Amino acid sequence: MPTRYSLLFGNGFIGIHAEYLLTMRLKDLLKGRVPDEALRRFSGRFDVVGDVAIVSVPMEMEAYKHVVAGTILSTRKNVYTVLNKVQKAASDSRTASFEVLAGDTTITRYREFGFQYRFDVTKVFFTSRMAYERRRVTEQVEPGETVLVPFCGVGPYVIPAAARGGRVTAIEKNPEAYGWLRENIVLNHVEGPVTAILGDARDTGHLQGKRFDRIIIPTPYGMKDSLDLFAPFAARDGMIHFYTFGARNEIPALVDVLVSKGFDLTFQDECGNVAPGIKRWVFDLVKTG
């Protein structure tokens, strides 16, 4: 195991505690309105992104999905739209399928640690559950650093990094997300330090000859080669924030592989569940070779 290694607990605990309270409150409010047998199959979890709430209603509760939506609206006064996620993200654009249960628009304005983002939650990939992790990473950016963010989405890593003085190259394949990225760059007044590229991040031809002080890789689910793809563009002693997916018992072997490739592991943490038994993980790696 590398000598420089740390774990982050405080911020994650706060988020988990708040989510637990919301979950229990929603299920309690649904008692008596939804049959107990059906309610037992419902996690009670929902995400709030700006003024849009996203919930996954199981098939056993199909007849009560509008009751769920109405209960969420009565619980969260800042929520005006409720979406039912009917299919997880599966396409190249990383977008899921949603059913509108309540509300007139799926466009939201989301605020995160002093920055704001506009986007259509049904047409781009975005998770509010990574807020503290994004702040952890972007607060490390120093003025004048060159930063690469492939798979950048609507800009939640790009904009804070640029605001801290980083010169950021941002790459996004989904035209819808790219359009919102450009709008959010203007909305947050970071036009100067950001170069936004519409294209497949895996096509690294336009990066040839460039080296970056920091690379943030929010790897899409199922992509196994993202680190090998972008590590050659890290400057010597540059930092790579590498995200990947796996079961907990797979991580020790992965750490061994990272170390064998010549990286100095300075931090690792889990960043939430994405499927039964599968978590998102982050590894902070220094390129020493």
Side-chain angles (χ1 to χ4, degrees), residues 156-173:
Y157 285 102
V158 173
I159 287 163
R164 287 185 60 84
R167 290 178 287 130
V168 185
T169 298
I171 308 174
E172 175 54 45
K173 180 180 180 180

Side-chain angles (χ1 to χ4, degrees), residues 99-119:
E99 174 189 17
V100 179
L101 298 181
D104 299 321
T105 179
T106 57
I107 295 174
T108 191
R109 184 184 294 259
Y110 170 78
R111 292 174 173 80
E112 184 172 293
F113 299 119
F115 303 101
Q116 52 184 322
Y117 308 89
R118 289 189 73 245
F119 53 91

